[in-house]
């Protein structure tokens, strides 16, 4: 059985023993502002992510825009992480650390940003196509975006997390791709990573029931090859064990009375590449 707790406007309690929080209008308003800034930052990157830019330069743009937008990057100082975003190139599954590496023609890269605005975390990521990208990689990116959208289509009261997971898994496997099991979506809000865990593969009708007021991310990572990941020596960068390409998209959403609201939608319609 899962435990649900209603969050009130002046509630500053962080941990609730793994209870699933049901947020009110103030939570949705806060997430709308944080999510909007997060989406605007990714929008701004669409013109910048081109061959030759380094991931550190991407990180600098994210840092500058987060501060200019009245936010603070959640990842900066998070468990020893020292950057304002994650940049995960090609076979990197997630949590790639920005550095001196320059993007090259044909790369695919995920940029994951989480500005904190007035205490609320807007967590979102998109894939970017660098220059001319081979069809095989473009197809992975397209199918991964479709996986996120099909998962979100299941996000409504009465459904369960397993319904989201199954929609994602079914679509990925239909294309002979695999769903990463080592990383999950998560409750989000005043906390960066909160209950419940949002798995991206599973059986319909299983897991916690979705209720109005729940706020969480859906962020499937899909590999062309096997699902297995390994962690590099830097303690953060997760890569596919078989070095196959991996893609990911992430939105932060809230469950409403009759469906869901996406807090991190692109205000300019640039949710899916190509962005030109
Ligand atoms: N934004 C990532 C997520 O979707 C978390 C990154 S934590 C970091 O949950 F420390 F690696 F940046
Ligand atoms: Co997330
Ligand atoms: Co994220």
């Amino acid at each position: 059985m899962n435990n649900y707790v209603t969050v009130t406007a002046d509630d500053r309690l962080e941990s609730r023993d793994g209870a699933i929080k049901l947020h009110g209008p103030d939570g949705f308003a806060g997430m709308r502002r944080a999510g909007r800034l997060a989406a605007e930052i990714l929008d701004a990157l669409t013109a910048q992510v081109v061959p030759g830019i380094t991931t550190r330069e991407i990180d600098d743009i994210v840092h500058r825009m987060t501060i200019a937008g009245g936010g603070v990057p959640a990842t900066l100082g998070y468990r020893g992480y020292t950057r304002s975003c994650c940049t995960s190139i090609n076979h990197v599954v997630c949590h790639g650390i920005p550095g001196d590496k320059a993007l090259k023609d044909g790369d695919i890269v995920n940029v994951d940003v989480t500005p904190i605005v007035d205490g609320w975390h807007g967590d979102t990521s998109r894939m970017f196509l660098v220059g001319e990208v081979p069809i095989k990689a473009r197809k992975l990116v397209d199918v991964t975006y479709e996986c996120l959208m099909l998962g979100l289509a299941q996000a409504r009261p009465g459904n369960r997390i397993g319904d989201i997971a199954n929609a994602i898994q079914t679509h990925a496997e239909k294309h002979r791709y695999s769903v990463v099991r080592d990383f999950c979506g998560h409750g989000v809000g005043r906390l960066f990573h909160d209950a419940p865990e949002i798995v991206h593969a599973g059986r319909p009708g299983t897991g916690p029931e979705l209720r109005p007021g729940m706020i969480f991310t859906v962020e499937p990572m899909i590999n062309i090859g096997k699902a297995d990941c390994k962690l590099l020596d830097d303690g953060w960068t997760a890569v596919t064990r078989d070095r196959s390409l991996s893609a990911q998209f992430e939105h932060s959403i809230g469950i409403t009375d009759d469906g869901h609201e996406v807090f991190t939608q692109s205000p300019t319609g640039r949710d899916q590449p190509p962005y030109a």
Side-chain angles (χ1 to χ4, degrees):
M1 278 310 276
N2 283 282
N3 191 22
Y4 295 79
V5 60
T6 302
V7 182
T8 58
D10 52 5
D11 203 333
R12 292 296 185 275
L13 279 183
E14 296 218 324
S15 175
R16 290 275 202 147
D17 299 323
I20 295 172
K21 296 186 180 80
L22 303 178
H23 295 269
D26 60 299
F28 277 62
M31 284 302 294
R32 245 169 244 142
R33 290 197 302 273
R36 168 109 186 174
L37 177 59
E40 285 171 351
I41 293 167
L42 294 183
D43 277 4
L45 290 177
T46 57
Q48 307 293 324
V49 179
V50 293
I53 192 172
T54 66
T55 49
R56 187 194 306 280
E57 288 168 326
I58 292 173
D59 192 64
D60 288 342
I61 296 168
V62 172
H63 186 265
R64 205 174 332 108
M65 283 197 70
T66 303
I67 302 299
V72 176
T75 57
L76 203 53
Y78 177 78
R79 298 179 184 215
Y81 194 84
T82 60
R83 300 289 173 211
S84 299
C85 66
C86 298
T87 50
S88 302
I89 306 167
N90 296 338
H91 69 292
V92 178
V93 173
C94 63
H95 304 163
I97 307 171
D100 295 327
K101 191 190 279 291
L103 297 179
K104 58 183 199 311
D105 192 61
D107 283 346
I108 58 171
V109 60
N110 175 279
V111 182
D112 190 338
V113 301
T114 312
I116 309 171
V117 179
D118 292 337
W120 297 94
H121 293 68
D123 189 5
T124 186
S125 80
R126 295 179 206 156
M127 296 302 296
F128 295 80
L129 307 175
V130 184
E132 287 298 316
V133 171
I135 181 69
K136 190 174 117 157
R138 275 182 354 236
K139 190 191 152 202
L140 171 68
V141 169
D142 282 343
V143 171
T144 303
Y145 182 78
E146 291 159 13
C147 283
L148 173 59
M149 290 300 111
L150 289 166
L152 294 185
Q154 297 296 320
R156 58 175 178 271
N159 270 4
R160 292 177 180 271
I161 290 173
D163 296 309
I164 296 175
N166 188 257
I168 292 167
Q169 182 182 5
T170 300
H171 191 62
E173 293 180 354
K174 187 172 105 187
H175 291 274
R176 307 248 179 281
Y177 297 149
S178 52
V179 179
V180 169
R181 312 300 210 272
D182 304 36
F183 302 93
C184 296
H186 48 90
V188 69
R190 289 193 175 280
L191 287 182
F192 193 177
H193 296 110
D194 203 352
E197 218 170 55
I198 308 295
V199 294
H200 301 116
R203 304 172 71 84
T206 63
E209 185 189 322
L210 303 178
R211 299 194 186 170
M214 285 173 66
I215 295 178
F216 56 86
T217 72
V218 181
E219 49 181 302
M221 286 141 277
I222 308 295
N223 302 345
I224 287 185
K226 293 202 167 69
D228 309 70
C229 302
K230 72 173 184 197
L231 203 59
L232 298 189
D233 287 338
D234 61 24
W236 284 105
T237 310
V239 300
T240 55
R241 248 185 203 288
D242 60 11
R243 298 226 140 206
S244 68
L245 288 180
S246 185
Q248 177 179 32
F249 287 85
E250 173 175 31
H251 273 315
S252 294
I253 71 168
I255 300 297
T256 60
D257 288 336
D258 57 0
H260 67 272
E261 176 177 347
V262 179
F263 299 121
T264 47
Q265 198 99 56
S266 166
T268 59
R270 282 176 282 187
D271 290 293
Q272 180 185 18
Y275 302 117

